[in-house]
Amino acid sequence: MQTSETSNRVLSTTRTKLVAKVVDSILRSNVLATRMLGAAKKFSGYSMQVPFKWQTNNQASSFDGFDALSTTAVDTRVRLEFFPSFVQIPVVLALTELAKNQTEEGVLDLMALEMKSSAQDLADYIGTLFYLDGTGNSNKDPLGLAAIVDDGTSVATYGGLSRSTYPTLSATKTSSGGTLSLAKMATLYNAVSDGSVKTTLGICPKAVFSYYEQLLQPQERIVKDVGMIKGGMKSGTGYTGLDYKGFPILADNKATSGNLYFLNEDFLNWYALPLPKSEPVPYKSVDIEGNDYSNVLGLGFSWIDFVKPVNAASLVGRIVLGGQFYSENPLRQGVLTGITGV
């Protein structure tokens, strides 16, 4: 512990300097949510319905001359349906605190800082939800990878349809048997990739990331900086990833323990639905250091302006994010589960 013996001569003539920055020591990496939210697409309508081809037209045949030809119509498509979810976080400020802050000695803008900090906390919360199955809080949570990357064993219905009836709605979900190997990774990759339709991202907790690193010879450890947002970041800031078959594998503190996901982000998106009569949240913060959120712009959060409660001298505002996280093609997503070593 650092101590300082200072005389009253100094204390009575010198004031303390408050650094005009807040250092964040709580928020950790949130890779998946940051990539998805930062590349949001527009949610439109009461729900979004996605035409989904689940079987082939099996009436193709060879023929000659006046052979009778099939006139049977085959219904090859169905519609997935996804509804928006909404998450929120309150921003509460006492008017007495604002009065003290809004003097000439106020170094940081308390109101602006609370809004930015709460927006980051909400993004952190959403990062947790993006790995769950969407059934939390009486099915009000948005969908997460636990629902998207499933083969029907845990989540039987997806997009309103039964995975047992429509088997191509199932992702590849494989138990690792406890160990990670290059052979198991190759099997998962082959199950979800065909031709030019390939996995674009591997994501896992830090422990699994370390297991993969142990599998590689020094000359095979191709390390690269990978943008947090899909398509890269204009600022060039990113995470360090290990290469596998031309795509990065990234560590995410939010990732489910023991899991290694192979994701095709061409079929994995966040569709955002801003609230009416609200303002977008200015997400970029130069006042908070120590986390990756300060580099991210335009995540589509909505701000409901402050109101004054009738029974308190305070202001209450609210940050809301609406939309849905889903994959148009779960067949192209996969996961190895239960990894505890190599």
Side-chain angles (χ1 to χ4, degrees), residues 192-207:
V192 299
S193 302
D194 289 292
S196 63
V197 183
K198 303 174 182 178
T199 297
T200 62
L201 175 68
I203 202 162
C204 58
K206 288 181 177 178

Side-chain angles (χ1 to χ4, degrees), residues 7-303:
S7 69
N8 287 326
R9 293 190 303 275
V10 175
L11 292 176
S12 63
T13 58
T14 309
R15 67 183 181 186
T16 301
K17 168 68 173 180
L18 179 62
V19 178
K21 291 282 185 181
V22 174
V23 178
D24 182 358
S25 65
I26 186 66
L27 298 182
R28 306 294 298 274
S29 65
N30 193 6
V31 181
L32 178 66
T34 305
R35 288 174 71 91
M36 295 297 108
L37 296 175
K41 297 181 179 179
K42 185 179 180 180
F43 194 104
S44 184
Y46 170 74
S47 67
M48 291 190 66
Q49 296 186 340
V50 182
F52 183 83
K53 183 176 179 178
W54 69 281
Q55 66 177 350
T56 63
N57 181 344
N58 59 5
Q59 298 301 303
S61 68
S62 58
F63 74 98
D64 185 42
F66 293 99
D67 288 352
L69 305 180
S70 172
T71 58
T72 300
V74 179
D75 196 351
T76 62
R77 294 177 299 278
V78 290
R79 289 181 297 177
L80 301 171
E81 186 171 24
F82 300 96
F83 298 89
S85 296
F86 298 90
V87 292
Q88 66 82 39
I89 193 168
V91 180
V92 183
L93 294 165
L95 292 177
T96 53
E97 293 177 344
L98 288 173
K100 298 169 186 176
N101 174 250
Q102 292 175 2
T103 66
E104 62 272 12
E105 298 301 329
V107 176
L108 292 167
D109 187 322
L110 176 60
M111 181 181 291
L113 184 62
E114 281 298 311
M115 290 175 61
K116 294 170 185 176
S117 178
S118 294
Q120 294 183 4
D121 292 342
L122 181 58
D124 184 73
Y125 173 71
I126 292 164
T128 299
L129 298 182
F130 272 14
Y131 282 96
L132 304 181
D133 62 7
T135 61
N137 194 22
S138 302
N139 298 306
K140 296 174 187 175
D141 286 352
L143 294 175
L145 291 188
I148 296 167
V149 192
D150 190 77
D151 58 4
T153 56
S154 298
V155 181
T157 301
Y158 180 75
L161 299 176
S162 167
R163 280 179 156 136
S164 61
T165 303
Y166 303 100
T168 55
L169 287 176
S170 293
T172 298
K173 184 178 181 181
T174 306
S175 172
S176 72
T179 59
L180 180 67
S181 69
L182 294 177
K184 292 174 183 176
M185 293 173 65
T187 298
L188 179 63
Y189 175 82
N190 291 336
V192 299
S193 302
D194 289 292
S196 63
V197 183
K198 303 174 182 178
T199 297
T200 62
L201 175 68
I203 202 162
C204 58
K206 288 181 177 178
V208 175
F209 185 87
S210 297
Y211 298 147
Y212 173 56
E213 190 172 24
Q214 293 175 42
L215 294 175
L216 302 179
Q217 298 296 324
Q219 67 272 19
E220 296 174 317
R221 292 175 186 165
I222 304 173
V223 181
K224 60 177 69 175
D225 285 339
V226 182
M228 289 185 292
I229 300 177
K230 290 168 60 179
M233 295 186 64
K234 292 180 180 179
S235 65
T237 305
Y239 289 99
T240 297
L242 288 170
D243 185 84
Y244 180 75
K245 292 186 182 293
F247 64 87
I249 294 182
L250 304 179
D252 187 351
N253 277 82
K254 297 293 184 180
T256 305
S257 177
N259 283 8
L260 171 60
Y261 296 92
F262 278 6
L263 305 176
N264 188 323
E265 294 173 290
D266 295 333
F267 303 106
L268 187 67
N269 293 284
W270 167 257
Y271 289 86
L273 182 60
L275 290 184
K277 300 185 182 299
S278 64
E279 298 293 331
V281 175
Y283 203 81
K284 186 173 178 66
S285 174
V286 296
D287 300 325
I288 304 175
E289 295 180 339
N291 63 49
D292 291 306
Y293 297 98
S294 59
N295 295 308
V296 181
L297 289 170
L299 300 193
F301 290 79
S302 298
W303 168 249

